[in-house]
Amino acid sequence: MTDVPQSLTLADAMSLYQRYSPDLSRARIKNFQAAINRWTAFNGPLILDQICTGNYADYRRYAKGLNLAVPTIEGHINCLRALLRHCGPVTDSCPHGLGLIAKVPWVGKRLQWRPQPKPAVPLEHLSAVYQVADLSRRPTRAIHPTIFWRVYLVVAYNTGLRGSDLLGSLTWANYDAANHRLVAIASKTGKRHEFAVNSVVTRHLAMLPRVDERIFPLAPSNDGMIRRQLGELCELAGVPRFTPQWIRRRAATEYERVHPGSGALLLGHILPGMGMTWMHYIDPCEVLSIAAGKVAQPAAFLPPQGG
């Protein structure tokens, strides 16, 4: 390893980590880079073998002063520790250490955190925003804003997809109308998700023009604009602002209500102790198809009575 710098920085360590871990997801790399950037902004480009437990304690105080969430702060420290362990000596717990630094410092006492209940948008608020979609001004590209927002809300609620995945990973090629199936690739994990499509989603997808290969012909970089416009629609509807993440939580809650376990399946999560069963023995889409037919829909999503 003659090309390894004698005085390793975290940036050097990250390069080595990527070299020896070619399967790292983009999301994982992004998390490491965020941790390095925050650390460097506070500590400067410290040499790896100069990092000590006190540096971690100082970083925690600095990050708390920025009002970063405790899971974010500890996640940064986990990333830094992983880099140091990779460059540290070979041990029973880290058999692939490169031996470039003598030891890996203890990260110190962890910050305590008790998760608070996360908000989920009520179905009535989804219905209210759907009804005022005819007042929307954006997006303006290719699809009329009213149609865009009504289909977006319906698909977001019935799939539980993240906002960025709604824009980035849904294509017409992955929509099987005959068999009521829709496939998406999660940008965060790279996992393939297959959804059962109910009649509400089918009816709304039929409203969309096929502008290009994407169902929603917007780049994921438009996620910020979508959030802002959604906030404006909430104000027009007279309901508190909510985000696509709140819709995702409501979707998981309602699926879980009608079929226990389907909320986790909808989000692509695996419950503890169920990994082998769900990966090799259960067809998630069959389970989701049962739940999709029963899940409660916001009133405005449904066709008028007698229609």
Side-chain angles (χ1 to χ4, degrees):
M1 299 178 61
T2 56
D3 57 340
V4 175
Q6 291 185 344
S7 299
L8 284 171
T9 64
L10 285 171
D12 298 325
M14 185 64 201
S15 296
L16 289 171
Y17 195 69
Q18 288 183 257
R19 184 190 306 178
Y20 286 89
S21 307
D23 297 328
L24 278 178
S25 68
R26 286 181 297 174
R28 183 76 171 144
I29 293 171
K30 185 177 179 180
N31 289 342
F32 273 100
Q33 293 294 353
I36 292 171
N37 292 341
R38 287 285 190 186
W39 177 274
T40 304
F42 173 62
N43 284 305
L46 280 180
I47 305 304
L48 258 59
D49 54 13
Q50 295 176 344
I51 295 175
C52 64
T53 302
N55 294 130
Y56 287 118
D58 292 340
Y59 178 75
R60 286 186 173 99
R61 285 191 290 271
Y62 160 74
K64 285 178 70 176
L66 296 177
N67 293 321
L68 296 185
V70 169
T72 300
I73 297 171
E74 293 300 329
H76 288 171
I77 288 177
N78 287 339
C79 289
L80 300 173
R81 180 172 178 266
L83 294 178
L84 266 66
R85 279 167 53 86
H86 182 68
C87 294
V90 173
T91 63
D92 291 340
S93 60
C94 188
H96 303 296
L98 299 177
L100 300 175
I101 57 175
K103 65 177 183 178
V104 178
W106 179 47
V107 296
K109 186 178 179 180
R110 296 284 188 176
L111 295 174
Q112 298 302 307
W113 173 67
R114 293 182 179 178
Q116 300 297 314
K118 297 294 182 68
V121 58
L123 294 181
E124 296 79 8
H125 293 182
L126 272 176
S127 190
V129 171
Y130 181 99
Q131 289 176 309
V132 300
D134 56 345
L135 302 177
S136 58
R137 298 178 296 107
R138 300 182 70 186
T140 57
R141 180 179 181 267
I143 300 176
H144 192 281
T146 301
I147 294 175
F148 174 91
W149 276 108
R150 288 183 172 165
V151 180
Y152 180 93
L153 291 169
V154 166
V155 175
Y157 171 68
N158 283 279
T159 64
L161 280 168
R162 295 181 180 88
S164 58
D165 289 336
L166 286 165
L167 301 184
S169 67
L170 291 182
T171 65
W172 290 112
N174 285 335
Y175 171 48
D176 184 349
N179 293 305
H180 311 291
R181 294 289 188 267
L182 180 64
V183 173
I185 306 299
S187 58
K188 183 176 181 180
T189 63
K191 292 181 180 178
R192 180 182 184 274
H193 292 273
E194 185 173 358
F195 302 96
V197 175
N198 57 30
S199 60
V200 178
V201 175
T202 300
R203 181 168 59 86
H204 280 81
L205 286 177
M207 299 177 183
L208 286 177
R210 300 201 176 195
V211 178
D212 58 29
E213 71 277 3
R214 296 167 296 176
I215 290 178
F216 298 109
L218 291 172
S221 58
N222 286 283
D223 189 46
M225 179 272 291
I226 292 295
R227 289 169 180 269
R228 289 189 296 274
Q229 186 63 27
L230 179 56
E232 290 182 18
L233 288 175
C234 289
E235 291 185 359
L236 291 170
V239 301
R241 286 180 173 240
F242 59 83
T243 69
Q245 185 70 5
W246 292 34
I247 304 176
R248 179 172 163 85
R249 294 189 190 114
R250 175 53 57 195
T253 300
E254 295 300 327
Y255 268 76
E256 193 68 22
R257 192 193 303 273
V258 299
H259 198 298
S262 64
L265 283 175
L266 184 76
L267 303 184
H269 298 166
I270 296 179
L271 296 175
M274 290 290 290
M276 183 65 70
T277 304
W278 286 13
M279 289 172 63
H280 299 287
Y281 294 96
I282 290 177
D283 182 346
C285 212
E286 283 193 22
V287 176
L288 287 175
S289 66
I290 296 171
K294 298 178 180 178
V295 71
Q297 297 290 330
F301 287 13
L302 301 173
Q305 292 293 328

